[in-house]
Amino acid sequence: MIPFDYRLAPDVDGAVAAATGWGGVAFLAGGTNLVDHMKLGVAAPEVLVDISRLPLDAVEELPDGGLRIGATVRNSDLAAHPAVRRDYPVLARALLSGASGQVRNLATTGGNLLQRTRCAYFQDLSTPCNKREPGTGCSAIGGYTRQHAILGASAHCVATHPSDMAVAMAALDAQVTVLGTSGRRVIPLVELHRLPGDEPHRDTVLSPSDLITAVELPPLPEGTRSLYRKVRDRASYAFALVSVAAVLRVEDGVVRDVRIALGGVAHKPWRARRAEDVLRGSPVDGSPADEEVFRRAAEAELAGAAPLAGNGFKVPLARNTVVSALRGLSREER
Amino acid sequence: MDSEIQLRVDGRRKRLRVDTRMTLLDALRDGIGATAPKTGCDHGQCGSCTVLLDGRRVITCLTFAVAHDGADITTAEGLADGEWLHPMQRAFIERDAFQCGFCTPGQVCSALGMLAEVEAGHPSVATDDLTGPVELTDEEIRERMSGNLCRCGAYVNIVDAVRDGAR
């Protein structure tokens, strides 16, 4: 690991100031992804700005019924928060299905959003990777692609975003507050992460000195149900092959509100707008007949899927997981 | 670049100089000689470096020591009261919950951190009712201990030991 300059951020503004003007700078919070990348040589910042002691660790219930989550709130604390467990089960379950207990006790909200792909080629310095070293090529294409994207990928990169939490937040229409050198701005979570295109080294729309300070969740109307379903190669402590975050409100037998996001299938949490369009306004009564519309919705979303040699299974897996998640919600299961 | 930090490790105050690149795990083992936490994968995947940091279970291989100035750390070694092992440690022996023992210090610290989480009513992904009380079933133990790998495969006895140690 190359030496770096460690700076403890004095306050939130001071953190941004300390990170400004450096080519290689990173904010350090939980460190569970960044420190690993520094050990591997994937990341080599000259300056680390430690934000872990900033007062960004509160979860606040907002007057409108929403929730403001500070950037350094630990994943474990967020999952355990009474308001999250009561009002946003999709988020609690997504958090609890990620990593392990002793990793969640370190990992933070902002860091979880900014974690980088677990593509094995990205993490292996001996193989070309456009994300790690632009212009060198993609080793995954034509290689091992079980964990890779089926939606929104490019000829330059087929990596997936590994977060569970971000998938739930995408379905919850979360808003991300960012402090940069020119002040504060709010970015919808679904616009925070980028598709790879021809710049796969840019995971998000943020610049290195932009600091995520909070994530806000709007309130869910009375009668809204939500869940997270994750499919993986082992029962616990594994990244998703496919995951589904779903939010559903059925009134008088008709879908009034539905929001679906998919994980493990794209370079970003994938909001399934096409599926939502099929579902919105459809009659749903909790009977087996619902399955037809759930299936049509999932297939509408996946019509644009472009699987690779090693991950064609993800298309039916994603379809079936969407159907199963919606069935669970419409039948009032967890 | 070096930095001076202070840690409280197993009840003893320690002052040490660390390279900013030093992980908390390396500071404990090489800087202080607290060798109960083990260097297994060194990438946050095996849990053998688990300690209790300010009372909560954490891995120590993916966090820099310099960021933990003032922390209070309990390793598996600090759980015993002199010659008297902690009940969780005794349960691991009585249940034959290890073969080589390399993962055991991390398993024991993780188990105690996990029990505190259960005590506080925190659900896991195996908990049916997110807002109800938590019952420590074997399914819960397996899910909550999934961050600690045992290459000897002593998992069945580890579940028994954690169940016993929880009493």
Side-chain angles (χ1 to χ4, degrees):
Chain A
M1 194 183 298
I2 63 157
F4 56 85
D5 190 2
Y6 169 86
R7 297 174 187 197
L8 188 60
D11 50 44
V12 176
D13 289 321
V16 175
T20 302
W22 294 93
V25 64
F27 292 113
L28 175 69
T32 55
N33 193 214
L34 178 63
V35 177
D36 194 22
H37 283 167
M38 291 172 71
K39 286 182 170 187
L40 292 167
V42 171
E46 312 160 69
V47 178
L48 271 195
V49 179
D50 183 352
I51 59 161
S52 64
R53 297 186 190 222
L54 294 182
L56 298 172
D57 59 348
V59 179
E60 296 165 68
E61 297 188 51
L62 301 173
D64 69 356
L67 212 59
R68 180 186 295 128
I69 304 157
T72 62
V73 172
R74 308 284 159 178
N75 286 179
S76 48
D77 291 335
L78 185 56
H81 194 279
V84 175
R85 287 152 62 183
R86 183 187 66 227
D87 300 335
Y88 304 98
V90 60
L91 178 58
R93 290 208 180 273
L95 284 158
L96 293 170
S97 71
S100 67
Q102 56 266 58
V103 173
R104 291 193 293 269
N105 272 338
L106 290 169
T108 63
T109 307
N112 188 313
L113 290 177
L114 298 181
Q115 65 180 307
R116 307 203 69 191
T117 185
R118 261 54 179 196
C119 174
Y121 303 102
F122 172 71
Q123 296 185 331
D124 178 356
L125 295 192
S126 71
T127 60
C129 169
N130 286 324
K131 184 180 278 298
R132 178 168 28 80
E133 232 179 307
T136 55
C138 174
S139 299
I141 296 172
Y144 178 78
T145 52
R146 184 172 176 79
Q147 304 289 338
H148 292 73
I150 56 171
L151 289 163
S154 75
H156 305 283
C157 182
V158 293
T160 50
H161 194 264
S163 173
D164 293 295
M165 183 198 79
V167 178
M169 287 180 170
L172 290 169
D173 285 324
Q175 306 280 319
V176 182
T177 305
V178 175
L179 186 65
T181 42
S182 50
R184 198 170 293 274
R185 65 192 197 277
V186 175
I187 304 170
L189 186 127
V190 291
E191 292 168 24
L192 176 70
H193 300 93
R194 301 175 65 258
L195 288 178
D198 56 6
E199 287 186 304
H201 59 287
R202 294 178 54 213
D203 290 356
T204 70
V205 299
L206 302 184
S207 71
S209 57
D210 280 336
L211 177 67
I212 293 176
T213 56
V215 176
E216 284 193 22
L217 305 180
L220 290 176
E222 187 80 23
T224 307
R225 308 177 53 79
S226 72
L227 63 64
Y228 189 72
R229 197 149 287 184
K230 177 172 178 177
V231 184
R232 40 186 161 174
D233 277 331
R234 61 183 183 209
S236 185
Y237 202 18
F239 291 99
L241 290 168
V242 164
S243 70
V244 174
V247 176
L248 182 71
R249 183 163 53 92
V250 176
E251 257 174 29
D252 306 323
V254 174
V255 174
R256 294 296 175 203
D257 183 18
V258 59
R259 287 173 269 157
I260 301 168
L262 306 181
V265 296
H267 197 255
K268 60 186 287 185
W270 187 268
R271 186 68 185 262
R273 307 262 185 209
R274 289 192 182 88
E276 294 170 13
D277 288 345
V278 171
L279 289 162
R280 208 172 291 108
S282 291
V284 163
D285 60 8
S287 76
D290 293 342
E291 201 139 321
E292 170 58 26
V293 69
F294 296 160
R295 185 166 294 268
R296 262 196 297 123
E299 282 169 354
E301 191 64 46
L302 293 161
L308 302 154
N311 69 4
F313 71 93
K314 281 193 177 184
V315 179
L317 184 62
R319 181 195 64 210
N320 294 346
T321 310
V322 168
V323 171
S324 137
L326 291 169
R327 187 171 47 211
L329 282 179
S330 65
R331 288 186 190 168
E332 306 205 336
E333 293 165 6
R334 69 161 151 129
Chain B
M1 190 183 142
D2 282 1
S3 194
E4 182 145 316
I5 62 166
Q6 190 171 300
L7 298 173
R8 195 177 157 85
V9 179
D10 296 331
R12 289 191 206 98
R13 228 178 268 283
K14 305 278 182 182
R15 186 173 281 284
L16 68 161
R17 283 197 79 74
V18 292
D19 186 304
T20 49
R21 292 171 290 181
M22 197 178 226
T23 62
L24 183 57
L25 175 61
D26 289 344
L28 288 171
R29 291 181 58 84
D30 302 337
I32 293 173
T35 53
K38 297 292 182 278
T39 309
C41 71
D42 216 20
H43 288 282
Q45 297 170 6
C46 76
S48 68
C49 65
T50 303
V51 302
L52 298 171
L53 171 65
D54 298 324
R56 302 172 66 163
R57 57 174 171 162
V58 298
I59 52 166
T60 51
C61 68
L62 294 184
T63 190
F64 290 122
V66 65
H68 293 285
D69 186 22
D72 187 348
I73 292 163
T74 304
T75 74
E77 199 178 348
L79 296 173
D81 181 8
E83 293 297 299
W84 285 95
L85 292 182
H86 188 282
M88 184 62 79
Q89 293 171 312
R90 282 209 303 275
F92 269 68
I93 293 171
E94 279 156 18
R95 285 292 191 165
D96 207 8
F98 51 84
Q99 288 177 41
C100 80
F102 188 86
C103 72
T104 312
Q107 297 274 4
V108 169
C109 286
S110 184
L112 291 172
M114 180 274 281
L115 292 179
E117 291 158 16
V118 170
E119 186 99 339
H122 297 174
S124 82
V125 80
T127 312
D128 280 335
D129 179 1
L130 287 176
T131 55
V134 179
E135 195 196 334
L136 193 65
T137 61
D138 285 2
E139 189 195 357
E140 287 278 3
I141 293 174
R142 280 191 289 266
E143 163 57 29
R144 290 170 188 263
M145 292 295 293
S146 71
N148 292 84
L149 306 191
C150 169
R151 292 301 299 269
C152 302
Y155 294 112
V156 174
N157 292 358
I158 290 171
V159 172
D160 289 343
V162 172
R163 194 194 313 112
D164 283 1
R167 291 212 189 99

